[in-house]
């Protein structure tokens, strides 16, 4: 197994390069000999506690998007509408202390402290990410299967869906405090229970071998690689199992444009643009130089997930 050679982080990055490289060496050692603690340079008051285990980096044929692009070309409307807003305007956001409440139709509702989530066995997953806006990235996430967490709270037989809610903090999130009122806050998303239990679905607490930066959804966000990026709700505080389909932020806002399922599908166009191709961010000469590439059904994960939708009309359930 071999670690991908990530594009070098920028000088302004959150971790001094020496610490990053030694952490990568630790991770490489971990790949050879089991899980390893990754002790990084302190960011703010606390040290990076990420622990990584062998991940899905080898054999994917994917090249990670440059770190600088993945952390400076973001959608996080709580901090503003521009792609650079989340990196520039999230400096006052505090991802500590933090808890995630898991409740609803479960036998053992539980509140998880973020440090307990970070202390779980973590693994690295190199996933494609396809935004509904027709751009894409490849991101090495660090996290754990959402299914593992859900099994611990013991879903009841009546649970059919999983609802996710982001934090509501207008004092720290200028977009929530704005007159523009783009979305009904807090941001909300949802999955069918079988989608949430699928082994590709993870809760991410890190990327590129380090703790999740604020702009990418600190301290914990959802990653569902076969769905459009807006399903990947950031800065989660509540996970609730329900019998009925939960409200979701973008579907509330524009139900004709953003479906509940939101499976990546090159055959179903957005009402205002084609979904047949995508622009890989940061590839071959940057934003304007990057050639478009074909979009893949289920974002390239059809073999693993198409069965979840057997017999469904994916045009109607877009
Ligand atoms: N989660 C919250 N809370 N608020 C948001 O605005 N944007 C979504 C998703 N999760 C969003 C969110 C969209 S549209 C995308 S494409 C991804 O986050 C972007 O993730 P990234 O910035 O880490 O690439």
């Amino acid at each position: 197994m071999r670690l991908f050679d990530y594009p070098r982080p920028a000088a302004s990055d959150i971790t001094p390069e020496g610490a990053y490289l030694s952490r990568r060496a630790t991770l490489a050692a971990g790949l050879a000999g089991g899980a390893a603690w990754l002790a990084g340079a302190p960011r703010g008051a606390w040290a990076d506690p990420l622990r990584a285990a062998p991940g899905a980096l080898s054999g994917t044929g994917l090249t990670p998007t440059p770190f600088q692009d993945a952390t400076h070309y973001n959608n996080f409307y709580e901090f503003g509408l521009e792609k650079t807003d989340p990196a520039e305007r999230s400096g006052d956001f505090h991802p500590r202390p933090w808890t995630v409440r898991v409740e609803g139709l479960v036998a053992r509702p539980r509140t998880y402290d973020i440090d307990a989530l970070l202390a779980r066995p973590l693994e690295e997953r190199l996933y494609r990410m396809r935004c509904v806006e027709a751009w894409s990235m490849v991101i090495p996430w660090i996290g754990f299967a959402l299914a593992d967490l859900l099994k611990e709270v013991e879903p009841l037989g009546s649970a059919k869906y999983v609802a996710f809610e982001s934090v509501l903090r207008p004092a720290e999130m200028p977009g929530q405090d704005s007159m523009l009122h783009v979305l009904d806050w807090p941001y909300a998303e949802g999955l069918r229970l079988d989608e949430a239990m699928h082994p590709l679905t993870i809760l991410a607490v890190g990327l590129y071998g380090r703790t999740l930066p604020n702009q990418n959804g600190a301290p914990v966000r959802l990653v569902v690689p076969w769905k459009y990026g807006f399903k990947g709700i950031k800065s989660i505080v509540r996970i609730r199992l329900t019998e009925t389909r939960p409200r979701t932020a973008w579907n509330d806002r524009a139900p004709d444009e953003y479906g509940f399922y939101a499976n990546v599908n090159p055959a179903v166009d957005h009402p205002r643009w084609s979904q047949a191709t995508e622009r890989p961010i940061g590839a071959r000469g940057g934003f304007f130089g990057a050639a478009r590439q074909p979009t893949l059904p289920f974002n390239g994960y059809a073999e693993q997930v198409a069965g979840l939708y057997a017999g469904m009309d994916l045009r109607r359930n877009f």
Side-chain angles (χ1 to χ4, degrees):
M1 257 193 261
R2 140 186 119 74
L3 260 191
F4 259 86
D5 218 10
Y6 299 133
R8 285 163 74 102
S12 60
D13 194 5
I14 52 174
T15 307
E17 188 177 62
Y20 178 57
L21 294 177
S22 68
R23 194 177 326 161
R24 282 182 51 204
T26 314
L27 178 57
L31 287 170
W37 282 98
L38 302 182
R43 180 190 172 207
W46 44 276
D48 189 334
L50 286 191
R51 184 167 56 156
L57 287 188
S58 55
T60 58
L62 298 171
T63 304
T65 297
F67 176 85
Q68 178 71 13
D69 293 302
T71 54
H72 291 80
Y73 187 88
N74 298 104
N75 278 335
F76 201 168
Y77 281 15
E78 284 89 333
F79 294 106
L81 301 183
E82 299 295 327
K83 296 289 185 262
T84 48
D85 282 343
E88 287 170 6
R89 302 174 77 194
S90 64
D92 291 332
F93 180 71
H94 296 105
R96 290 290 193 293
W98 193 279
T99 57
V100 180
R101 176 75 182 159
V102 188
E103 61 185 19
L105 299 175
V106 298
R108 298 179 181 279
R110 212 167 135 179
T111 301
Y112 290 87
D113 190 85
I114 189 63
D115 292 314
L117 294 181
L118 281 158
R120 301 170 78 91
L122 302 174
E123 56 177 300
E124 191 158 38
R125 302 267 188 109
L126 187 67
Y127 279 165
R128 300 169 195 274
M129 182 172 86
R130 171 59 155 84
C131 179
V132 74
E133 298 164 341
W135 52 263
S136 65
M137 296 193 191
V138 172
I139 300 183
W141 301 104
I142 292 178
F144 53 88
L146 175 61
D148 291 345
L149 195 83
L150 295 179
K151 282 178 203 154
E152 287 171 13
V153 296
E154 298 177 18
L156 301 178
S158 51
K160 300 280 181 291
Y161 293 91
V162 184
F164 303 84
E165 200 177 287
S166 293
V167 74
L168 185 66
R169 281 197 199 161
E172 294 180 18
M173 300 175 127
Q176 286 181 341
D177 203 22
S178 154
M179 301 284 284
L180 278 176
H181 196 80
V182 200
L183 294 170
D184 282 335
W185 310 113
Y187 196 98
E189 257 309 331
L191 295 173
R192 246 173 29 193
L193 183 59
D194 60 342
E195 297 175 320
M197 296 295 283
H198 192 280
L200 286 181
T201 303
I202 60 168
L203 287 179
V205 293
L207 44 63
Y208 297 80
R210 69 193 68 191
T211 300
L212 209 55
N214 284 349
Q215 60 266 35
N216 293 93
V220 55
R221 57 97 54 87
L222 180 69
V223 179
V224 195
W226 71 93
K227 292 179 178 283
Y228 289 119
F230 68 86
K231 298 296 285 184
I233 181 172
K234 297 176 168 183
S235 305
I236 298 170
V237 289
R238 189 187 307 271
I239 299 176
R240 189 175 176 80
L241 282 80
T242 64
E243 187 157 14
T244 53
R245 200 168 100 173
R247 74 162 274 260
T248 58
W250 281 105
N251 188 243
D252 272 3
R253 161 83 198 198
D256 297 342
E257 302 190 7
Y258 310 105
F260 174 80
Y261 281 94
N263 293 319
V264 173
N265 191 343
V268 176
D269 287 339
H270 185 280
R272 290 181 281 130
W273 58 83
S274 165
Q275 295 292 27
T277 62
E278 64 201 40
R279 196 181 65 229
I281 301 296
R284 291 186 299 273
F287 188 91
F288 294 107
R292 296 189 80 84
Q293 62 189 30
T295 287
L296 301 173
F298 297 103
N299 204 24
Y301 302 96
E303 200 182 311
Q304 294 96 321
V305 302
L308 293 172
Y309 311 101
M312 276 177 65
D313 177 351
L314 297 178
R315 278 186 184 276
R316 205 162 59 84
N317 298 289
F318 64 95

